[in-house]
Amino acid sequence: MDIFKDILKFTVVDIIDVILVALLLYYLYRLVKGTVAINIFIGIIIIYGAWRLTDFLNMELLTSIFGGFMKVGIIALIVVFQPEIRKFLLMVGSTNFGRRGKLLKQFNFLKTEDTNDTDVDAIISACNKMSMSKTGALIVFERNNNLDFLSESGDEMNIKVTQPIIESIFFKNSPLHDGAIIVNHNTVKATRVILPVNNEKNIPKRFGLRHRAAIGVSEKTDALALVVSEETGHISYFKDGDFVVYEDTNELNALIRKDLA
């Protein structure tokens, strides 16, 4: 009966509180999913559970050991989860609210309309051409996180996205071909960009620095990345620090459009 009484005491504020906690846990899960951090996170939960259990059973020695660990746990969390904390703060602090509009539109599952005008067809066509000639390329799609801090490492541009422009940038004799380009709303905003390289994940040896850079930027921000391999000509797509599997370029086109929406 007490449980039912507590349920009846639920207010609108309590419901909002539960929803916000659920959203927080959801985004925390997205940050650590697919990384070593998820195993560490589970380990911390197990240790916390063991601490509470030993305390309940009055096992003083083990309780004091686990308790001592939990007291310094916040510092350990900051050290261990430094990349994830940085990504979370970056996601919160560098979101382009002015450009994207309302706050609720920042949540992917609450978006109801496609406001992105990037010419995905032109980019995919350029990648297909570069794939046939085995021309290496690295294209980053900016989404909610502002990538100006990365653009500053290269040459700032303001060029409309077209197939010839993309191909000419990555042409082997072009002075702009080295590094990545950042595309934002159908505009190439920067070329020769230096991206953070991921050194943790095990990826096939046939993949090089472009692929590690694509993993790094999509892992540390919400950006998307396309890579054309200089060795094989294969086109790889990255999101949230992972390879995205697709059947053909038509499906790839649809995936990018959906993720940019």
Side-chain angles (χ1 to χ4, degrees):
M1 292 299 295
D2 292 336
I3 296 176
F4 290 110
K5 289 181 180 179
D6 291 337
I7 293 174
L8 292 175
K9 291 179 181 178
F10 252 57
T11 64
V12 175
V13 175
D14 294 322
I15 296 173
I16 294 174
D17 188 24
V18 171
I19 293 173
L20 291 176
V21 170
L23 287 175
L24 178 61
L25 292 175
Y26 168 73
Y27 276 98
L28 285 175
Y29 170 74
R30 285 188 58 185
L31 286 175
V32 301
K33 182 185 69 172
T35 66
V36 178
I38 187 67
N39 297 325
I40 299 173
F41 185 69
I42 293 172
I44 291 172
I45 292 176
I46 292 173
I47 291 175
Y48 178 79
W51 176 48
R52 301 308 301 175
L53 178 63
T54 55
D55 185 43
F56 176 76
L57 297 175
N58 294 320
M59 302 171 70
E60 296 183 3
L61 183 58
L62 281 175
T63 300
S64 62
I65 293 174
F66 286 128
F69 178 84
M70 297 306 298
K71 287 178 182 177
V72 298
I74 188 66
I75 300 175
L77 285 175
I78 293 174
V79 174
V80 172
F81 291 101
Q82 186 270 337
E84 286 72 26
I85 293 173
R86 181 181 181 277
K87 182 179 177 181
F88 178 76
L89 295 176
L90 181 65
M91 182 174 63
V92 173
S94 64
T95 301
N96 299 332
F97 292 107
R99 189 188 68 192
R100 298 291 184 179
K102 296 181 181 179
L103 174 62
L104 291 179
K105 289 185 179 180
Q106 304 306 314
F107 298 100
N108 292 332
F109 51 85
L110 293 177
K111 291 182 180 179
T112 56
E113 56 180 324
D114 184 357
T115 59
N116 195 288
D117 54 358
T118 303
D119 191 348
V120 179
D121 291 335
I123 294 174
I124 295 297
S125 297
C127 287
N128 282 330
K129 287 284 292 290
M130 292 186 291
S131 173
M132 289 187 287
S133 62
K134 292 187 178 180
T135 300
L138 176 51
I139 302 170
V140 176
F141 297 91
E142 181 177 313
R143 294 203 291 174
N144 292 331
N145 293 159
N146 191 307
L147 302 182
D148 287 348
F149 70 101
L150 291 176
S151 300
E152 293 172 356
S153 67
D155 299 325
E156 293 189 12
M157 298 285 175
N158 187 20
I159 312 171
K160 182 180 178 182
V161 170
T162 63
Q163 181 178 341
I165 285 293
I166 300 296
E167 291 180 32
S168 64
I169 288 175
F170 289 110
F171 180 63
K172 293 179 181 179
N173 294 328
S174 168
L176 303 177
H177 83 282
D178 196 20
I181 68 170
I182 295 179
V183 174
N184 175 33
H185 277 265
N186 211 43
T187 299
V188 178
K189 66 182 291 186
T191 59
R192 296 205 306 167
V193 175
I194 300 172
L195 300 180
V197 177
N198 178 282
N199 292 313
E200 297 180 6
K201 289 194 175 181
N202 293 322
I203 65 174
K205 292 182 178 180
R206 66 180 182 274
F207 296 128
L209 285 176
R210 285 191 181 91
H211 296 84
R212 289 195 176 276
I215 292 174
V217 71
S218 63
E219 192 174 52
K220 292 179 172 59
T221 72
D222 71 344
L224 310 171
L226 270 180
V227 177
V228 180
S229 173
E230 193 171 355
E231 287 74 26
T232 65
H234 180 71
I235 303 172
S236 302
Y237 180 44
F238 298 87
K239 177 184 177 184
D240 295 330
D242 290 319
F243 285 87
V244 178
V245 179
Y246 62 91
E247 291 291 333
D248 51 35
T249 52
N250 289 330
E251 184 180 354
L252 175 61
N253 191 318
L255 285 171
I256 296 174
R257 289 181 182 279
K258 178 181 177 182
D259 292 336
L260 289 175

